[in-house]
């Protein structure tokens, strides 16, 4: 939760006035498991690995996940305003209980 919060507040790509944020919406996002699960899915679905399985786009994938989270908690940043729009592959939530070999 701390990293999600820090990422939301500290990324220079945000056009977000922290002083004018509705903290009730922000707090409610952390209490909604659906929002958190899909946020994690967006982050993981955007990660890219190199040949040695090293992550090459951590900050961009993190930002993309934060875009989804913010769109659901910040009324001034509706999901329709997110650019580029989310596609179904980004929002796909795999069954986390199933592990493929």
């Amino acid at each position: 939760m701390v990293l999600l919060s820090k990422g939301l507040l500290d990324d220079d790509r945000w056009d977000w006035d922290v002083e004018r944020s509705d903290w009730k919406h922000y707090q409610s996002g952390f209490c909604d498991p659906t929002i958190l699960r899909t946020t994690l899915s967006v982050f993981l679905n955007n990660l890219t690995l190199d040949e040695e399985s090293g992550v090459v786009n951590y900050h961009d994938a993190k930002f993309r996940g934060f875009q989804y989270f913010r769109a659901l908690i910040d009324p001034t940043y509706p999901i329709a305003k997110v650019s580029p729009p989310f596609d179904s592959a980004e929002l796909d939530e795999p069954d986390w209980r199933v592990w493929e070999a």
Side-chain angles (χ1 to χ4, degrees):
M1 300 299 176
V2 172
L3 292 177
L4 182 58
S5 178
K6 184 172 172 41
L8 283 167
L9 300 175
D10 289 345
D11 197 304
D12 291 338
R13 293 176 279 188
W14 288 124
D15 176 21
W16 191 6
D17 184 355
V18 173
E19 299 299 321
R20 299 180 70 195
S21 295
D22 182 344
W23 291 106
K24 295 286 184 194
H25 280 105
Y26 180 81
Q27 291 169 340
S28 70
F30 285 107
C31 296
D32 186 332
T34 304
I35 293 173
L36 293 176
R37 185 177 60 239
T38 307
T39 298
L40 180 60
S41 294
V42 170
F43 168 69
L44 293 173
N45 289 334
N46 277 284
L47 282 178
T48 303
L49 304 177
D50 62 18
E51 298 80 33
E52 291 84 36
S53 297
V55 176
V56 297
N57 67 333
Y58 172 78
H59 294 290
D60 292 331
K62 179 179 75 168
F63 183 74
R64 193 67 171 152
F66 294 154
Q67 281 183 305
Y68 177 81
F69 186 82
R70 182 179 173 198
L72 295 183
I73 64 161
D74 184 354
T76 67
Y77 189 77
I79 204 155
K81 186 177 176 180
V82 177
S83 182
F86 293 104
D87 63 32
S88 60
E90 287 181 287
L91 301 173
D92 184 36
E93 295 181 24
D95 184 350
W96 301 104
R97 298 167 294 174
V98 177
W99 293 90
E100 296 181 21

